[in-house]
Amino acid sequence: MKPFAPAAVLVGAVLGLAAVTGCSPAPRNAGPLRATPYTAASAPGGCPTAASAPGGCPTAASLPLPKDFPADLPVPEGAVVTSVEHRTGGRLIVATVVRSGFDATLAFLHKQLPKAGYTPKDGEVEKDDAESNFSSTTVRGRWTLRKMPDCEGGVYLTYLTSAVS
């Protein structure tokens, strides 16, 4: 697979941190920002502070999707936006937690992105994670999907997007 290098490194770093902490993938400064990232209120360790559902899954209120998130890019119903970060070069990272399970979320992405006009490219699926690049006439990006430890049915779904230049 040949992802665009900055996206792969950035998404890998964010999700690697999430795997170590077992909580929401809170962004870390890995370069100059155009805007300050914002995240859902978090307790020590990066877990959302709202009550947790059975199984330890976060149930914090979702942050709003930013205005520059592609309006036609499908997001699963009930996704909780846990962080938004604007990067240089017009890149946008939106991290979510989805409670519908790994297989259902993966099926959603495989079906809904093409229906919305996004072409997948260079994707791969493993036991507990999946990722794929995607593009349309106006947007290029990458999504990553990771099972959440200690949260039955919970998955981290992260989008990295930028405008086609």
Side-chain angles (χ1 to χ4, degrees):
M1 183 170 71
K2 188 178 176 184
F4 29 72
V9 170
L10 180 60
V11 171
V14 168
L15 293 172
L17 176 62
V20 171
T21 65
C23 297
S24 68
R28 302 291 182 241
N29 289 337
L33 296 175
R34 282 193 341 202
T36 302
Y38 57 95
T39 59
S42 297
C47 295
T49 57
S52 290
C57 299
T59 58
S62 182
L63 295 170
L65 282 171
K67 291 180 182 180
D68 51 345
F69 187 81
D72 60 350
L73 184 58
V75 176
E77 184 72 30
V80 175
V81 177
T82 59
S83 69
V84 174
E85 189 171 352
H86 292 88
R87 291 285 178 155
T88 58
R91 295 173 294 150
L92 174 66
I93 301 168
V94 175
T96 71
V97 172
V98 181
R99 296 285 314 275
S100 58
F102 183 84
D103 292 337
T105 305
L106 182 61
F108 171 88
L109 292 165
H110 283 164
K111 182 177 181 181
Q112 297 302 319
L113 268 69
K115 280 178 72 174
Y118 291 89
T119 303
K121 183 178 179 186
D122 299 327
E124 75 175 4
V125 177
E126 296 176 4
K127 180 182 175 195
D128 293 337
D129 64 73
E131 59 269 332
S132 179
N133 295 330
F134 60 85
S135 62
S136 71
T137 57
T138 58
V139 175
R140 65 180 173 157
R142 182 171 183 79
W143 58 259
T144 62
L145 184 64
R146 305 283 184 267
K147 282 188 180 179
M148 293 178 69
D150 304 323
C151 180
E152 186 158 347
V155 292
Y156 297 116
L157 172 59
T158 303
Y159 295 92
L160 179 130
T161 61
S162 64
V164 172
S165 48

